Amino acid sequence: VGSVRCVQETGPKSIKKIQLPPECADLPEGEKIWLALPLSRDHKPDDEEEYKRIMSANGRVEPFKEPTGESVGPYRVWLREEQVPGLAMSRSIGDKVAASVGVISDPEIYETIITEDEKFMIIASDGVWEFLPNDQVVEMVVPYWEENNPEGACNKLISEA
């Protein structure tokens, strides 16, 4: 069973607005640059740290294989000699089979100081972040933030993801 739990203080992504001084960028005066500031990282089996833990627990990390041997989809966690569990994540809650090959339920906790420069935060699961890069999410959300329309921003992200 996979699980994502986000709280405002440590959500998976945040957006930071920075206005650069005129001498730092070739921008029209008063124009702002919006930047995405990730507050966490995805727990993927092919991440170097996660991969090492899984391999040392006698797991296997590779994409699903078609009967032809062709790799399909993202890297997954498997038992050394069996095509189970096939998780596309390296951390999960309650999966005893995956836990036997190094999938853990330990969260990573990040602490970030929120200042007045941070105008909004997007808390979303991998259903958004798997399909939309951070910078594209910023571009989509900013117009809705400027209109004070968070529901519109959510609907836009859902429809695009």
Side-chain angles (χ1 to χ4, degrees), residues 109-129:
I109 299 171
Y110 298 91
E111 183 174 342
T112 301
I113 304 300
I114 304 297
T115 71
E116 63 185 44
D117 290 333
E118 282 77 38
K119 300 303 180 191
F120 54 87
M121 180 182 295
I122 299 169
I123 300 174
S125 73
D126 61 351
V128 170
W129 304 117

Side-chain angles (χ1 to χ4, degrees), residues 1 5 13 23 52 74 77 79 83 87 96 133 140 150:
V1 174
R5 176 162 185 177
K13 306 287 174 184
E23 64 273 16
K52 286 179 182 177
V77 179
L79 296 181
Q83 286 294 99
L87 285 181
K96 291 181 181 182
M140 286 190 280

Side-chain angles (χ1 to χ4, degrees), residues 17-22 25-34 146:
K17 173 184 166 184
I18 298 176
Q19 184 169 357
L20 297 175
D26 190 18
L27 297 172
E29 189 167 331
E31 188 169 323
K32 296 171 179 62
I33 294 176
W34 291 81
E146 290 172 337

Side-chain angles (χ1 to χ4, degrees), residues 35-141:
L35 299 175
L37 176 66
L39 295 179
S40 69
R41 65 185 184 99
D42 292 334
H43 296 127
K44 301 293 185 185
D46 57 331
D47 172 85
E48 184 178 355
E49 180 183 326
E50 305 290 300
Y51 178 86
K52 286 179 182 177
R53 185 187 63 250
I54 293 163
M55 297 304 287
S56 70
N58 205 29
R60 180 168 46 103
V61 175
E62 60 185 38
F64 176 79
K65 302 274 187 188
E66 292 283 358
T68 62
E70 180 183 352
S71 295
V72 178
Y75 282 86
R76 297 177 176 277
V77 179
W78 308 94
L79 296 181
R80 177 69 62 194
E81 303 295 330
E82 296 181 55
Q83 286 294 99
V84 293
L87 285 181
M89 64 199 82
S90 57
R91 298 187 187 216
S92 179
I93 299 170
D95 189 324
K96 291 181 181 182
V97 174
S100 74
V101 288
V103 173
I104 61 174
S105 60
D106 301 345
E108 286 187 308
I109 299 171
Y110 298 91
E111 183 174 342
T112 301
I113 304 300
I114 304 297
T115 71
E116 63 185 44
D117 290 333
E118 282 77 38
K119 300 303 180 191
F120 54 87
M121 180 182 295
I122 299 169
I123 300 174
S125 73
D126 61 351
V128 170
W129 304 117
E130 283 287 318
F131 302 105
L132 299 173
N134 295 349
D135 294 338
Q136 185 178 350
V137 170
V138 171
E139 290 175 19
M140 286 190 280
V141 169

